[in-house]
């Protein structure tokens, strides 16, 4: 039996009844169909960078999407259209686009996981979301038992969500098509910390390669890169989106970002820090990152139960202090908060 801890960035998770490495689209679809025809529970994983799997593991088939390859057209006027297999590493793809002289993905440098994982929660960082550059998502629909392509408008993208996340495990992403701009200038820098690192003002543009370098540097400083010896799933909670009256009741120095629909996005990290959650605190081998309060880490041989207990304790303190319930960003398999 395969230990799923070996396939998650948190390094947590019990065994799977069976684990299939799907390296081609045909293998992926036939493994899904085989499991579905037997009524076998199915879990799809990519890089395992946004998932917390319980200590009992998964009593069913786990398919790890390891498909590779891309096809692309780059035109001086219309930019680049790149169709990329779901199993390709996200940051490997970002680096590839920059090498090809394409812009618009630079702020999303250094996010772990796969291309297929990116649309699920509409990954975002430093003021930009991947939905800004997705043209199409090709999926296998497990109910219709057929390939279904979604245009960007049909993907239901919102803050850290999409139709793919909302519909549970119905759609398995096969590949994603991105529309990128040709050019050496980045998207407008939208985040104060990044603007500061680059020595530019908010709204300015900077060379794409410099933005990538700066983002990688900031991420390394916060322990938010894979492969630097910190086992986490990135931000454990999403930033809460609340009504104006809830936001108005918070202390004046609480960061807040008004949204187009009148709601207000808050900083989960600020709420945690101001309700007594401290960097480095532990439950067994589960720890709040020393670098970033929003990342829960495996500081040794943590169990999923320890991670959950630490998350519950942080969530309860924020609720007690501010009346706000933090929602997990990480996907739970066989565990509950
Ligand atoms: C250090 C660190 C930093 C991070 N920083 C960020 C950040 O800045 N911004 C951000 O948005 N996220 C961040 N994340 C979270 C994570 O990297 C992303 O959410 C990533 O896109 C997850 O991709 P994955 O392939 O690892 O998905 P997995 O963790 O393997 O899976 C996540 C979910 O997607 C489903 N899934 C995966 N692949 C497919 C597929 N092909 N078809 C259908 N369903 C699929 C799984 O079933 C699961 O529900 C960070 C994580 C880490 C560890």
């Amino acid at each position: 039996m395969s230990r799923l801890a070996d396939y998650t960035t948190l390094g947590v998770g019990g065994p799977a009844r069976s684990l299939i490495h799907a390296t081609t689209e045909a293998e992926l679809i036939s493994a899904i169909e085989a499991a579905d025809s037997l009524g076998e529970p199915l879990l799809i994983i990519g890089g395992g960078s946004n998932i917390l799997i319980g200590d009992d593991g998964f009593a069913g088939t786990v398919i790890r999407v390891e498909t590779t390859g891309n096809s692309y057209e780059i035109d001086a006027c219309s930019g680049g259209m790149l169709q990329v297999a779901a199993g390709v590493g996200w940051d490997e793809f970002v680096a590839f686009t920059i090498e090809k002289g394409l812009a618009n993905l630079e702020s999303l440098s250094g996010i772990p996981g796969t291309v297929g994982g990116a649309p699920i929660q509409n990954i975002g960082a430093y003021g930009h979301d991947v939905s800004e550059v997705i043209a199409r998502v090709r999926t296998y629909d497990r109910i219709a038992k057929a390939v279904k392509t979604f245009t960007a408008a049909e993907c239901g993208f919102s803050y850290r969500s999409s139709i793919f996340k909302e519909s549970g495990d119905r759609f398995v992403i096969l590949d994603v098509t991105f529309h990128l701009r040709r050019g050496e200038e980045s998207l407008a820098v939208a985040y104060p910390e990044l603007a500061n690192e680059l020595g530019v003002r908010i709204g300015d543009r900077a060379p794409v390669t410099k933005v990538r370098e700066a983002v990688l540097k900031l991420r390394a400083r916060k322990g938010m890169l894979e492969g630097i010896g910190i086992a986490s799933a990135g931000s454990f909670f999403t930033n809460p989106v609340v009504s104006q009256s809830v936001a108005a009741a918070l202390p004046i120095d609480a960061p807040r970002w008004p949204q187009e629909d009148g709601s207000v996005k808050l900083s989960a990290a600020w709420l945690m820090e101001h309700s007594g959650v401290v960097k480095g605190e532990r439950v067994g081998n589960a720890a709040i990152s020393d670098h970033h309060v929003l990342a829960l880490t495996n500081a040794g041989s943590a169990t999923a139960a320890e991670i959950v207990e630490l998350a519950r304790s942080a969530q309860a303190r924020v609720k007690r202090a501010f009346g706000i319930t933090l929602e997990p960003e990480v996907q739970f398999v066989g565990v509950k908060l």
Side-chain angles (χ1 to χ4, degrees):
M1 284 222 248
S2 306
R3 238 178 111 245
L4 292 171
D6 296 338
Y7 298 96
T8 67
T9 55
L10 262 170
V12 163
R17 187 148 63 211
S18 79
L19 173 67
I20 295 171
H21 298 261
T23 58
T24 65
E25 186 175 306
E27 275 172 23
L28 175 57
I29 293 177
S30 91
I32 298 164
E33 287 177 341
D36 284 351
S37 67
L38 295 170
E40 168 85 347
L42 182 62
L43 172 65
I44 303 289
I45 58 168
S49 63
N50 203 28
I51 203 162
L52 172 60
I53 299 176
D55 299 314
D56 293 337
F58 188 72
T61 296
V62 176
I63 304 178
R64 188 162 190 257
V65 182
E66 297 177 12
T67 52
T68 54
N70 68 36
S71 61
Y72 60 91
E73 276 173 44
I74 301 175
D75 183 274
C77 303
S78 56
M81 287 296 273
L82 301 92
Q83 185 172 4
V84 191
V88 171
W90 173 258
D91 195 51
E92 179 195 324
F93 167 60
V94 174
F96 171 83
T97 63
I98 292 175
E99 265 166 40
K100 291 282 170 207
L102 296 166
N104 291 6
L105 284 179
E106 56 282 349
S107 321
L108 305 185
S109 291
I111 299 180
T114 57
V115 165
I120 305 280
Q121 71 152 3
N122 181 21
I123 57 168
Y126 299 104
H128 293 287
D129 290 337
V130 75
S131 56
E132 294 168 46
V133 292
I134 288 181
R136 287 189 298 277
V137 178
R138 234 176 103 253
T139 68
Y140 178 79
D141 178 347
R142 293 174 59 202
I143 292 182
K145 300 191 189 314
V147 171
K148 176 172 167 60
T149 300
F150 292 78
T151 62
E154 292 167 336
C155 292
F157 286 126
S158 59
Y159 168 62
R160 295 302 160 269
S161 196
S162 68
I163 193 167
F164 314 113
K165 185 167 168 184
E166 296 299 318
S167 37
D169 48 12
R170 175 170 176 181
F171 300 104
V172 178
I173 295 180
L174 302 174
D175 63 53
V176 184
T177 302
F178 299 86
H179 187 190
L180 302 179
R181 180 172 47 85
R182 249 180 83 79
E184 284 165 15
E185 290 249 287
S186 70
L187 285 175
V189 174
Y191 208 78
E193 193 187 24
L194 181 58
N196 204 24
E197 184 68 31
L198 288 161
V200 301
R201 282 169 309 187
I202 291 284
D204 284 354
R205 295 173 190 272
V208 168
T209 47
K210 290 272 175 259
V211 174
R212 175 168 169 80
E213 263 172 46
V215 167
L216 292 176
K217 210 191 267 178
L218 289 172
R219 283 188 161 278
R221 227 179 270 158
K222 290 190 210 163
M224 283 293 201
L225 278 179
E226 206 179 341
I228 54 169
I230 299 169
S232 84
S235 301
F236 199 88
F237 297 104
T238 53
N239 287 325
V241 178
V242 300
S243 65
Q244 289 182 17
S245 58
V246 171
L250 292 172
I252 195 98
D253 57 335
R256 61 200 82 204
W257 300 280
Q259 303 295 292
E260 274 172 15
D261 64 0
S263 61
V264 182
K265 195 194 280 179
L266 305 173
S267 161
W270 187 95
L271 294 169
M272 287 168 79
E273 275 170 338
H274 289 78
S275 47
V277 180
V278 284
K279 290 176 184 164
E281 75 169 75
R282 289 169 84 130
V283 169
N285 277 312
I288 301 288
S289 168
D290 291 331
H291 305 273
H292 195 329
V293 76
L294 207 42
L296 271 61
T297 65
N298 176 354
S301 48
T303 59
E306 287 171 342
I307 305 258
V308 168
E309 200 184 321
L310 182 59
R312 274 191 197 137
S313 151
Q315 195 189 40
R317 280 177 276 169
V318 171
K319 177 81 179 170
R320 211 176 306 124
F322 299 111
I324 292 170
T325 303
L326 293 181
E327 297 294 341
E329 177 178 315
V330 172
Q331 301 292 298
F332 288 3
V333 176
V335 282
K336 281 203 183 89
L337 204 55

